[in-house]
Each structure stands twice: as structure tokens, then as C-alpha cells.
Amino acid sequence: DLVLTMTKSRRADAVRRTGGRPPEVSTLGQFAGTDAEEVTDPFGGGPDVYEECAAQLERLVQGIAKRLWRDET
């Protein structure tokens, strides 16, 4: 199992809730290979903030897909 979170603080919450046992818990950035990157919560922002968040998520998901593909082969 795999749990991906948008931020390190949410990752810490997920690890705490699982007692440090599986599933694997990572941030989207960590799993995509950009360890320091966190996804900014767009809540309350204007359309431009949501567009930036969507672009960031799209880029990270592409990195995650590449990793999963590589791990499958």
C-alpha cells in the first residue's frame, strides 16, 4: 500500500496514525524525486493559485508515473 500526501506535516500525521507500520507514506514530492517540494494548498486563493497548484500536481504526478513505470519493469 502507498499513501501520498501534499505536505510533510500531513505525511507526519499519516505516519503517526499508522503507528509507523505499512503502508508506505511519502509526500508527492518525495515519491516523485523532488524531496523538498511540497504542494501549496490553494484553498481560498484565486483562479491563478488553483492553476499553479494544478500545474504543480500534474508535474509531480508525471514524475510519480515514471517512477511506478520504472519499478514495474
Side-chain angles (χ1 to χ4, degrees), residues 50-73:
Y50 280 88
E51 288 175 14
E52 289 174 19
C53 182
Q56 183 184 23
L57 287 169
E58 183 176 356
R59 186 175 38 75
L60 289 171
V61 168
Q62 287 174 358
I64 290 166
K66 287 178 185 176
R67 176 177 174 180
L68 292 173
W69 179 262
R70 189 175 54 240
D71 288 353
E72 277 291 312
T73 58

Side-chain angles (χ1 to χ4, degrees), residues 21-44:
R21 297 181 312 273
E24 178 181 352
V25 182
S26 296
T27 66
L28 291 165
Q30 289 169 329
F31 201 78
T34 60
D35 287 346
E37 185 170 3
E38 293 193 354
V39 178
T40 303
D41 186 353
F43 183 75

